[in-house]
Amino acid sequence: MPSQATSQASVSESNRSRILQHLYHHGICSRAQIAKALSLTPAAITKITARLIEAGIIEETGDMEGRKNRRSIGLHLDGSRFHVIGVKFARTLVQIGVFDLAGATLSLEDLPTVSDDTIAQTIQAIHGKIHDLLDADPAIIAVGMAVPGPYLREVGYTAVVSSMQGWRTINFQQEFAGAFRVPVFVEQDARAGVLAQHLFSPDGQSENLAYYLLGEGVGLGVIDHGRLVNGAQGTATELGHTSVDVNGLPCDCGNVGCLERYCSAVAIHERVNAAGIIADSADMTHRQACNALFALADNGDRQALAIVDEAGRYIGYGCVTICNMANPSRVILGDIVAGAGQHLLDVVKDIVRRRVTPEVAEATDIRLSTLPADATVTGAAAVAITQFLDHPSMFFDIT
């Protein structure tokens, strides 16, 4: 049973977090406005904010108009003062970027294309790159990493990485957790993506949101009534390994007919190679092959459109499962395959209209991601930012 001191520390941290969350989402506010919004006493707000100011997390901004024309002092969490590193692992693609708390991209780069034979070198390069970024930018307070699922959070491994099983040998926690001067947080890629959509989307926040990751793998992240859906081991909502054909193509996970085998960037690349419609497609990365295919489809090429339509139908079948399983108010399609654009979205919406209960289908807003950067690498940053907002005392000495 927790001691009284432990319980009080937990309450204090919760209140600090609530204040930071409020300032993060609402901008400059007075102490009176925060007290009213959070149902805390003015005295409590004054005490907590004084410590946050002393720790350098928030700052006073000067006078602002309060109730009954009284002057109040504004408080502000300046998102540009603190930076985080985001790292995206996507089988052959690793991206590293630096972001501010608002999700603005300060730098972003791709590491050389990864193969099973070069994973060890890639891990070494990530260590070196993160150290370089930390040395160059003292404002960096954390590193977030987004890795393919199903990611076993408690033990640090990804259980299955279809098409590149070498990643299964990497324990992300052991490899990175204590390697730098700042804390490192690891999350499944689609779950990181839904955090990015929740925090940064220009379309506004949604408390019931699904991010449908359509990259080198297929994944799903769900926020239900403002809370991230995790599961007992951190592998909930693993949509990519849901079977859509019980007699279908074998998958590295041991199942057959997995959704990922039909509409991931890897699966689409395989179909492009088999169709022979893009010169040298076998030598392209998955992203390059998909982008070339989508360009052909945009120009009306019938074979290209047929491949996009087939992938879109399978994505639609997955979306039917999302609607029935999670009932989100919004489903956002993102990553490489979402680059097929409006045509793909129309195919997906048509499947949902025909296969989902009308009341549910009509209430579900399905759209393409509008984030200015890839939602998974931005999501890796969002993982770190969320930890900062939830647990500020992990990052600053707040006494």
Side-chain angles (χ1 to χ4, degrees):
M1 187 172 180
S3 67
Q4 184 176 353
T6 301
S7 297
Q8 182 57 48
S10 177
V11 170
S12 297
E13 183 76 335
S14 174
N15 286 335
R16 285 191 288 265
S17 173
R18 292 174 67 201
I19 290 169
L20 288 183
Q21 297 272 2
H22 188 81
L23 290 172
Y24 182 84
H25 292 295
H26 295 90
I28 297 172
C29 297
S30 69
R31 290 170 175 81
Q33 288 171 330
I34 298 171
K36 182 178 180 181
L38 303 184
S39 298
L40 292 172
T41 66
I45 293 295
T46 298
K47 181 179 180 180
I48 297 168
T49 57
R51 290 178 175 173
L52 292 173
I53 292 170
E54 184 179 357
I57 301 176
I58 65 174
E59 59 188 358
E60 294 184 330
T61 61
D63 288 349
M64 60 184 293
E65 191 166 321
R67 296 179 61 189
K68 299 180 180 179
N69 294 321
R70 295 175 182 169
R71 307 305 295 178
S72 299
I73 297 175
L75 298 175
H76 179 46
L77 171 60
D78 185 354
S80 66
R81 289 180 57 214
F82 305 112
H83 302 158
V84 298
I85 294 172
V87 185
K88 170 186 177 175
F89 295 84
R91 296 167 176 81
T92 67
L93 172 67
V94 173
Q95 290 181 303
I96 300 180
V98 179
F99 304 83
D100 69 16
L101 294 191
T105 306
L106 305 178
S107 69
L108 183 63
E109 69 173 280
D110 294 0
L111 293 189
T113 300
V114 189
S115 68
D116 266 317
D117 295 331
T118 63
I119 288 175
Q121 294 96 304
T122 298
I123 293 296
Q124 186 177 8
I126 292 168
H127 276 276
K129 184 61 183 176
I130 291 175
H131 278 298
D132 290 345
L133 291 171
L134 290 171
D135 289 343
D137 187 354
I140 294 172
I141 59 172
V143 177
M145 295 184 168
V147 302
Y151 175 64
L152 304 171
R153 182 181 292 143
E154 296 303 316
V155 294
Y157 286 102
T158 291
V160 178
V161 188
S162 52
S163 78
M164 274 191 71
Q165 289 295 317
W167 282 114
R168 292 183 63 188
T169 66
I170 304 301
N171 185 310
F172 292 94
Q173 293 289 349
Q174 290 181 5
E175 189 67 51
F176 295 110
F180 311 108
R181 66 168 174 81
V182 298
V184 176
F185 306 97
V186 185
E187 184 56 273
Q188 181 249 24
D189 50 10
R191 199 165 291 123
V194 80
L195 283 175
Q197 299 292 342
H198 185 62
L199 287 181
F200 310 136
S201 176
D203 299 322
Q205 279 196 316
S206 173
E207 292 298 293
N208 294 278
L209 176 67
Y211 176 66
Y212 194 175
L213 183 150
L214 304 164
E216 293 189 347
V218 172
L220 177 68
V222 175
I223 287 177
D224 181 52
H225 290 85
R227 298 182 66 85
L228 195 63
V229 176
N230 290 298
Q233 295 173 289
T235 67
T237 66
E238 190 51 54
L239 185 69
H241 294 291
T242 298
S243 182
V244 293
D245 183 354
V246 295
N247 299 306
L249 298 170
C251 180
D252 288 344
C253 74
N255 197 359
V256 296
C258 288
L259 183 65
E260 192 169 281
R261 295 290 287 114
Y262 299 90
C263 59
S264 65
V266 176
I268 292 172
H269 194 174
E270 290 174 356
R271 284 158 180 74
V272 168
N273 291 342
I277 59 175
I278 298 172
D280 300 321
S281 64
D283 297 324
M284 294 179 175
T285 66
H286 302 312
R287 180 166 58 179
Q288 289 169 341
C290 286
N291 288 343
L293 174 72
F294 302 154
L296 280 180
D298 287 343
N299 288 324
D301 184 277
R302 286 191 295 178
Q303 285 182 286
L305 281 168
I307 295 173
V308 172
D309 286 350
E310 180 186 39
R313 286 193 294 274
Y314 279 105
I315 292 167
Y317 302 152
C319 214
V320 170
T321 299
I322 294 169
C323 291
N324 289 332
M325 174 185 68
N327 185 214
S329 58
R330 183 180 298 167
V331 180
I332 299 176
L333 314 184
D335 219 297
I336 295 170
V337 181
Q342 187 63 45
H343 181 82
L344 179 83
L345 182 63
D346 290 342
V347 174
V348 172
K349 286 184 173 181
D350 180 63
I351 293 291
V352 170
R353 276 193 298 268
R354 291 193 281 116
R355 293 175 179 252
V356 174
T357 303
E359 292 84 352
V360 175
E362 291 167 9
T364 307
D365 174 22
I366 304 171
R367 59 176 68 182
L368 301 170
S369 176
T370 56
L371 287 179
D374 176 273
T376 306
V377 69
T378 312
V383 170
I385 293 166
T386 299
Q387 290 290 336
F388 167 66
L389 295 174
D390 287 348
H391 308 288
S393 64
M394 287 178 60
F395 301 84
F396 292 91
D397 182 16
I398 308 171
T399 55

